[in-house]
Amino acid sequence: FTSVKNIQGTNTSVPAQYEGTGGVNQIYWGNAFQLFKHFSVGVNASYLFGSLTQTETLLTSDLQTSLVTTNQIFLKNFYFTYGAQYYFSLNKHWDVSLGGTYSTKQQLAAEYNVQVTDNSSDILKNTITRNDIFRIPTASAAGISITKDNKYTVTADYKYQSWTNSNASGVNYSLENSSRGSVGFEISNKKQYINQAYERSHLQA
């Protein structure tokens, strides 16, 4: 995106262009246990790592010279999501599953690096500015699925993340809370073989 940036200590402002890239990778192991009939609990133990990059390009009015500042954040830490599920049968045709997950707030170890170059790609500055933390907010989700005759399934779920409490903000910007609702439908073609059900095909939307 583009903007106008004031030069500190002067009355001058210059055009600025911003670009962001990167992301956080996740490696996880998940396991669940049935505590008693129809009720299970589980956990996903994850390791998060990756980098986020923001590039700021300041242009002079004649567009002949530029100053490029590249900020990189390297992130890493463990992350846990807990879940529970309960399922039951209404009758011989209808089955219902209820579930929910919860992820606690987590602080990722963050190393900030800044590099400044001019339009000839000469490095004017390259330094680690600070070691800090990046906050991932709490997240909660709940869902339901209803199945008819072990063939037709309708699902719905809702997820909420409280990003406003992550303290990630700057001049004229901040993060907002995230809400997401989803619905789905499935037709499953199953066959019985030696008292076991095998899925031959399915269609999902």
Side-chain angles (χ1 to χ4, degrees):
F1 62 92
T2 60
S3 182
V4 175
K5 184 172 184 176
N6 294 323
I7 304 301
Q8 187 173 358
T10 71
N11 294 322
T12 304
S13 60
V14 295
Q17 296 178 350
Y18 296 90
E19 182 179 354
T21 59
V24 178
N25 307 294
Q26 180 187 48
I27 299 175
Y28 70 92
W29 173 81
N31 200 16
F33 302 92
Q34 182 172 288
L35 294 184
F36 51 87
K37 190 175 182 180
H38 302 310
F39 182 74
S40 303
V41 295
V43 62
N44 272 352
S46 307
Y47 182 71
L48 304 181
F49 63 97
S51 65
L52 309 175
T53 302
Q54 183 195 67
T55 301
E56 176 193 71
T57 304
L58 302 181
L59 305 172
T60 59
S61 57
D62 57 9
L63 302 180
Q64 296 299 312
T65 59
S66 63
L67 190 66
V68 180
T69 302
T70 302
N71 291 288
Q72 279 190 302
I73 310 174
F74 300 93
L75 305 167
K76 60 182 179 180
N77 208 347
F78 291 96
Y79 186 62
F80 297 92
T81 300
Y82 308 95
Q85 177 179 273
Y86 180 70
Y87 68 95
F88 58 94
S89 296
L90 294 176
N91 51 48
K92 64 179 182 179
H93 295 288
W94 295 93
D95 299 297
V96 178
S97 293
L98 303 172
T101 63
Y102 179 76
S103 302
T104 59
K105 183 187 298 183
Q106 181 60 278
Q107 297 178 344
L108 301 186
E111 179 182 285
Y112 291 73
N113 181 79
V114 61
Q115 178 176 284
V116 182
T117 60
D118 58 17
N119 57 325
S120 62
S121 297
D122 291 333
I123 297 178
L124 306 180
K125 183 180 181 181
N126 187 10
T127 183
I128 296 176
T129 56
R130 67 184 188 275
N131 290 311
D132 205 345
I133 56 176
F134 181 87
R135 295 176 177 85
I136 293 182
T138 58
S140 56
I144 182 174
S145 70
I146 302 174
T147 302
K148 184 178 186 297
D149 295 329
N150 204 29
K151 183 175 182 179
Y152 305 101
T153 302
V154 177
T155 67
D157 66 52
Y158 173 78
K159 183 176 182 179
Y160 176 79
Q161 292 177 293
S162 56
W163 283 100
T164 54
N165 296 323
S166 65
N167 296 328
S169 61
V171 179
N172 296 326
Y173 78 87
S174 62
L175 298 182
E176 296 293 330
N177 293 331
S178 171
S179 298
R180 186 196 69 190
S182 305
V183 294
F185 178 72
E186 177 187 79
I187 302 176
S188 177
N189 182 16
K190 296 183 177 70
K191 293 295 182 181
Q192 292 289 130
Y193 181 72
I194 312 180
N195 297 324
Q196 293 291 327
Y198 294 90
E199 186 174 59
R200 300 178 60 184
S201 64
H202 67 266
L203 175 66
Q204 296 176 326

